[in-house]
Amino acid sequence: MPRLLFSDSDLGRVRFAILPFQETLKAARGLGLPKPPPGLAGWRHATRAALPEVARPVVTLCSAHTRHLPDFLTPQPSAASVSFEDELHAALDDSSVPVQQDTAAFAGVLETVPVVVDTLLHHPDRGRRALREAFTAFHQAVLAADWPRLHAQLAADVAYRARLTAQHGLDAMLATLCPPHVRWEYPHLAFDGPGAPDVALDGRGLVLVPSMFLTDGVHRQLNDRQQPMLFYPARTAGAFWRDNGGRGWPDGRLAGAIGERRAAALRALADRPGCGTTDLATALGVTLATASTHVANLRRAGLVVTTRAARTARHELTPLGRHLLDAHIG
């Protein structure tokens, strides 16, 4: 397994980021790979039919290699959470970014160079303009409507790991980041991938980026221009896609989640973060089946996340769920 080598100063520079443009890249990869990543088959089938022609070069580019992309498409995040447009601008509109150099390195790992890569290589300005149009069309068609639900899951992942770090230390958080794809044994963070020499972070730290579409392992971004980044599956991604991506309510958002009984379930989960279904049923005075139904409804609306280990399921509110409880239920 490839390994990142941490110094003590690197441990103090570990941070998280939620990046919608990077989720767009991962979604396009999931659409284009010959075999869908785990859990995404249903989403992929429904999404492919609605994909506009102008967006197809994005799918070709992002699935040309299972692990790699041109480095310029993964710019340094300026904050913990940035907009799709800000990321797109940083990737495609900065004339100082070495698009041809990055594209040439990417082409070197491909068996076949697709037209979109060849255009970037030989006509970088034209290629960037075309990609901007294609990425914008892809994001609007595939992610924009679902982004509140996706963001809720990603924010819940970051919040959980922040609490874990505060309560048990950074070692505990890194050790449970994404088993079995990531392994932590100070001073090394090992992750799935072809064997390679250790990479010393050299005081740059590491940006950890959760993804709902990267369900088959981890990706890393390592170059000399920016802080290293590691993309990993959000801990609720599996349950999210099993629940049909949070869809199913008439208005596609919170309908069906607001009501006296579900409000009571939200309150109970707020008071008992990480509780199991049996504990919730006891707290509400309902059957196990009823409590399970309440949790499933809340989870589909993006208000609750569920994690499973062996036969145990644990539930907690997402940031959206806490906001709803505070603002509308009391």
Side-chain angles (χ1 to χ4, degrees):
M1 299 177 79
R3 301 193 305 179
L4 302 178
L5 176 62
F6 281 71
S7 66
D8 288 344
S9 61
D10 290 312
L11 293 175
R13 297 197 65 199
V14 173
R15 64 187 179 103
F16 287 88
I18 296 174
L19 305 176
F21 179 62
Q22 298 307 311
E23 278 294 81
T24 302
L25 300 179
K26 299 299 185 284
R29 170 185 178 269
L31 278 182
L33 289 178
K35 181 180 179 181
L40 297 184
W43 168 84
R44 185 160 99 158
H45 177 76
T47 302
R48 277 179 161 177
L51 191 68
E53 188 65 30
V54 66
R56 295 190 182 278
V58 168
V59 177
T60 300
L61 175 63
C62 293
S63 59
H65 194 282
T66 58
R67 291 182 178 272
H68 296 294
L69 279 172
D71 281 352
F72 74 88
L73 287 176
T74 312
Q76 177 76 56
S78 58
S81 184
V82 297
S83 70
F84 170 82
E85 186 61 32
D86 285 344
E87 281 189 272
L88 185 65
H89 175 75
L92 296 176
D93 298 337
D94 185 347
S95 60
S96 69
V97 174
V99 173
Q100 283 180 300
Q101 177 182 327
D102 288 354
T103 304
F106 177 60
V109 302
L110 300 180
E111 293 184 3
T112 302
V113 177
V115 172
V116 61
V117 175
D118 188 72
T119 302
L120 283 168
L121 197 56
H122 296 100
H123 307 282
D125 290 340
R126 186 204 312 168
R128 284 199 285 195
R129 288 193 298 271
L131 268 187
R132 168 174 267 284
E133 181 182 9
F135 272 117
T136 300
F138 184 95
H139 182 77
Q140 288 299 318
V142 176
L143 259 74
D146 289 332
W147 182 244
R149 284 190 290 272
L150 293 166
H151 187 274
Q153 303 294 314
L154 298 171
D157 184 277
V158 171
Y160 167 80
R161 298 185 195 284
R163 290 196 302 273
L164 184 62
T165 301
Q167 294 170 1
H168 302 289
L170 188 62
D171 276 320
M173 188 277 288
L174 291 173
T176 58
L177 183 64
C178 184
H181 302 296
V182 176
R183 298 176 188 171
W184 168 251
E185 185 175 349
Y186 180 82
H188 295 107
L189 186 73
F191 53 91
D192 284 352
D198 290 354
V199 175
L201 297 181
D202 289 332
R204 295 173 294 167
L206 183 66
V207 183
L208 296 170
V209 185
S211 173
M212 295 300 291
F213 293 95
L214 188 61
T215 60
D216 55 348
V218 299
H219 288 177
R220 53 60 169 171
Q221 170 72 335
L222 302 172
N223 60 49
D224 294 332
R225 303 198 303 263
Q226 63 190 67
Q227 191 175 15
M229 303 169 69
L230 188 70
F231 300 86
Y232 66 92
R235 59 199 281 268
T236 60
F240 182 82
W241 296 118
R242 282 194 298 271
D243 287 339
N244 195 26
R247 294 181 179 88
W249 301 115
D251 70 357
R253 291 294 186 273
L254 299 179
I258 299 174
E260 183 178 348
R261 293 177 181 175
R262 295 187 183 101
L266 277 179
R267 290 192 193 96
L269 290 172
D271 293 338
R272 303 166 180 81
C275 78
T277 309
T278 301
D279 294 334
L280 179 63
T282 300
L284 296 175
V286 299
T287 66
L288 185 62
T290 298
S292 181
T293 298
H294 287 334
V295 169
N297 291 338
L298 295 169
R299 189 168 57 239
R300 291 189 186 102
L303 304 177
V304 166
V305 293
T306 299
T307 55
R308 294 177 172 85
R311 297 179 179 272
T312 302
R314 300 294 180 188
H315 317 292
E316 54 191 306
L317 270 59
T318 66
L320 182 62
R322 293 190 190 94
H323 173 76
L324 180 69
L325 187 64
D326 292 341
H328 300 293
I329 298 174

